[in-house]
Amino acid sequence: MNESKLPAALAKANAWIGHVAGVVAVGQGEQPDGAPTIDVWVTSLAEAGPLPDEVGGYVVRVRETGGPINAQ
């Protein structure tokens, strides 16, 4: 995978914050084999809007926060 495309994929996924139900954060993750992923945190899997399986060729992993995230 060409990691030079990762910043663009992350930027596209970041647009989901506030626009896709339940999405509160997006970041870079890693598969067990070291391949980068797009990790998306949602307040609740049951309430999350539809998300693709991949963005820009990177796997999207959806994670549940267990509730809202508040800035400190």
Side-chain angles (χ1 to χ4, degrees):
M1 174 66 57
N2 182 350
E3 290 192 34
S4 66
K5 295 181 179 183
L6 184 58
L10 282 166
K12 184 174 183 177
N14 266 303
W16 300 336
I17 298 171
H19 296 283
V20 176
V23 175
V24 293
V26 172
Q28 180 181 343
E30 189 175 280
Q31 294 182 13
D33 66 0
T37 61
I38 304 292
D39 288 359
V40 179
W41 285 268
V42 298
T43 52
S44 166
L45 293 174
E47 296 176 11
L51 295 168
D53 293 331
E54 63 87 21
V55 173
Y58 297 95
V59 172
V60 172
R61 296 189 308 176
V62 179
R63 312 277 189 162
E64 190 170 32
T65 65
I69 296 176
N70 297 314
Q72 299 293 314

